[in-house]
Amino acid sequence: MVTHLLTAQSVVSPYSILGVGDLAFDGFANNQAIGELGVGYNTVWHVNQKNPAWLYRNTFSTFQVGLEGESRRFATTGQAESSATGGLRYLAIAFPIAANRISSSFGILPYSVVNYNITTNSVIDGTDITARTNLSGEGGLTQAFFSTGMKIGKSLGLGLQVKYIFGRISTGNGVNIDDQAVVSAFQTRFVQRTSYNDVNLLAGLSYKQKISEKEFINYGLTYDLASGLSGDREETVERRTVAGRVVETNEITTESSVLFNVPTNASFGIYYEKLNKYGFGLDVSIRNWEDNGGFENSADELGNSIKIALGGEYIPTYNDVNSYFKRATYRAGITYEQLPYLLSGRRINDFGINFGSSFPVGGFSSLDIALKIGQRGTTENDLIRETYFRFVFGATINDRWFIRRKYD
């Protein structure tokens, strides 16, 4: 009988071992601060990446950039470790084509992240010898997008987003004999390197219902079409020293095709707003992983996933000339997500509390701050519980571009 015990980990997330990695949130700092809303929630000052049907509201040319820092603590029933990461989170530009009617945007942001390093000890059947197995992975996928949204009539909006998803993921599986009676100066390691690239489409619908001169209810609907992320995979067997230096490499396959199926994602959002004062709303998203998700011919157990986001924002006095902080926008929200993977018969859930602010700079620009405190997984059934803190610092610049100047 083989027994397993988690003995070491140095990771961004051990759950990024699943699928094509840890799927990233596809919004910006203002979305994260308000509980990751974006299907019904929208502003005229920020690019709406989550529902392109709201893009027509971007009457200014808008530039957004964001940096992200994150720390995570990982715990099992008998051990805990932590890690920290950081880097560029997003870059996006939106510009009007026909004022108050048609606007477009393009940009880049993460699609998935793979970064784990997990070591387990296994007792070889019929012996007292321990084999130490190491699983590691790095890389991830990036999405470059182009979106267009248009207003039809007085209240209806339609949008389409084209995503080009690309990137490289490397995973490895190595074994060492960990026993004084058996001296092992080398490790045999099986390595897979997969390069992905594919195109995905997202369609959006929006409707702005007027209640009074300053009150509106916004409805949003998006449908992310099912797609297959196709990749080319190389497989090698490496012989490494204990220190990790590669001394010999043998190719198993030079190139083979793989396919990771991303199922449809239907999202609905509703958001109530009182102009320049406050607003609150709800987003619900559902992915059908159970029927058509994951790698082809994979034995992974998958269930349908659902995400619920609830949040709101508040502006004390948007035109107060005496108090800078009264002109700022304050946001808060909560998120709950049931991930598709079934591990040891258990679903993996993610719960987070979000908050943040947008502080005005210059005319219509802002500095955007978002924080999230969350927890994912459980220590039951030999699983891992993650507790994390994520910070996003962004800048939004709104201006009039591409305007022909007139002189008298």
Side-chain angles (χ1 to χ4, degrees):
M1 180 179 180
V2 179
T3 59
H4 299 275
L5 173 67
L6 181 67
T7 58
Q9 51 192 17
S10 176
V11 297
V12 169
S13 173
Y15 293 111
S16 68
I17 194 175
L18 305 170
V20 291
D22 195 2
L23 298 182
F25 170 61
D26 59 348
F28 301 149
N30 58 300
N31 300 108
Q32 180 177 303
I34 201 170
E36 302 182 3
L37 296 181
V39 181
Y41 164 73
N42 62 94
T43 80
V44 299
W45 313 117
H46 298 91
V47 181
N48 195 314
Q49 157 67 10
K50 294 187 65 63
N51 187 353
W54 291 114
L55 278 175
Y56 72 86
R57 297 198 68 196
N58 288 99
T59 55
F60 290 91
S61 295
T62 303
F63 172 79
Q64 284 192 249
V65 62
L67 302 175
E68 180 181 67
E70 182 179 276
S71 65
R72 287 184 182 250
R73 184 178 184 273
F74 315 96
T76 64
T77 52
Q79 187 176 352
E81 288 194 16
S82 60
S83 71
T85 59
L88 180 68
R89 180 65 180 84
Y90 56 83
L91 184 68
I93 296 175
F95 50 92
I97 296 175
N100 298 308
R101 284 293 174 185
I102 304 175
S103 292
S104 292
S105 69
F106 62 91
I108 191 168
L109 71 163
Y111 183 82
S112 72
V113 178
V114 175
N115 196 343
Y116 61 90
N117 190 351
I118 303 173
T119 300
T120 63
N121 285 342
S122 303
V123 179
I124 300 176
D125 287 339
T127 72
D128 294 329
I129 298 176
T130 300
R132 175 168 292 180
T133 302
N134 174 258
L135 304 175
S136 64
E138 62 181 3
L141 305 181
T142 300
Q143 58 175 313
F145 66 88
F146 179 82
S147 306
T148 296
M150 66 177 63
K151 184 179 181 182
I152 299 176
K154 294 183 178 180
S155 304
L156 185 65
L158 298 177
L160 181 67
Q161 182 179 92
V162 181
K163 308 176 189 177
Y164 175 62
I165 301 171
F166 63 96
R168 183 181 175 93
I169 296 174
S170 298
T171 61
N173 183 347
V175 180
N176 279 103
I177 301 300
D178 188 18
D179 192 273
Q180 293 181 352
V182 180
V183 178
S184 177
F186 298 96
Q187 177 193 78
T188 300
R189 192 165 190 84
F190 174 68
V191 178
Q192 292 181 327
R193 297 180 178 91
T194 310
S195 296
Y196 292 90
N197 64 88
D198 223 312
V199 175
N200 178 248
L201 298 177
L202 180 144
L205 182 70
S206 67
Y207 183 79
K208 194 172 188 69
Q209 179 184 358
K210 184 176 181 180
I211 300 175
S212 67
E213 286 300 317
K214 292 188 176 182
E215 293 179 285
F216 299 87
I217 298 180
N218 303 319
Y219 304 92
L221 182 67
T222 62
Y223 191 75
D224 205 336
L225 301 180
S227 65
L229 294 178
S230 58
D232 296 322
R233 176 172 292 172
E234 298 176 353
E235 297 179 333
T236 60
V237 174
E238 298 177 350
R239 195 179 184 206
R240 299 187 178 187
T241 65
V242 176
R245 183 172 63 89
V246 178
V247 296
E248 183 181 354
T249 300
N250 295 307
E251 288 187 350
I252 298 177
T253 59
T254 55
E255 186 174 302
S256 61
S257 297
V258 296
L259 183 67
F260 183 82
N261 293 307
V262 181
T264 58
N265 183 20
S267 301
F268 171 77
I270 183 171
Y271 188 79
Y272 167 85
E273 66 171 327
K274 185 171 184 179
L275 288 182
N276 299 319
K277 195 59 180 178
Y278 61 84
F280 53 88
L282 170 73
D283 279 4
V284 178
S285 301
I286 300 175
R287 278 193 189 271
N288 184 19
W289 289 92
E290 188 172 337
D291 293 336
N292 58 358
F295 284 107
E296 284 189 324
N297 304 318
S298 173
D300 291 341
E301 293 185 76
L302 298 173
N304 295 335
S305 64
I306 183 171
K307 180 176 181 179
I308 300 172
L310 178 68
E313 66 179 15
Y314 174 69
I315 307 172
T317 309
Y318 80 98
N319 57 356
D320 194 312
V321 296
N322 297 315
S323 175
Y324 174 78
F325 291 102
K326 285 186 178 181
R327 299 197 305 272
T329 303
Y330 301 94
R331 303 182 178 97
I334 58 175
T335 58
Y336 168 82
E337 184 173 8
Q338 188 177 66
L339 302 181
Y341 300 102
L342 298 171
L343 300 176
S344 300
R346 294 188 63 93
R347 296 299 297 264
I348 305 301
N349 299 324
D350 188 311
F351 177 80
I353 299 174
N354 305 264
F355 49 95
S357 300
S358 287
F359 296 101
V361 177
F364 302 105
S365 302
S366 65
L367 296 178
D368 308 314
I369 297 173
L371 302 96
K372 181 177 182 179
I373 301 171
Q375 181 174 293
R376 174 165 58 175
T378 176
T379 57
E380 298 178 8
N381 297 348
D382 295 324
L383 296 177
I384 300 171
R385 182 180 65 236
E386 298 179 358
T387 304
Y388 59 90
F389 172 80
R390 181 181 302 144
F391 174 82
V392 179
F393 176 79
T396 301
I397 300 173
N398 287 289
D399 203 349
R400 299 286 189 184
W401 298 348
F402 315 119
I403 295 178
R404 179 180 297 175
R405 301 296 181 183
K406 295 182 179 180
Y407 299 92
D408 294 330

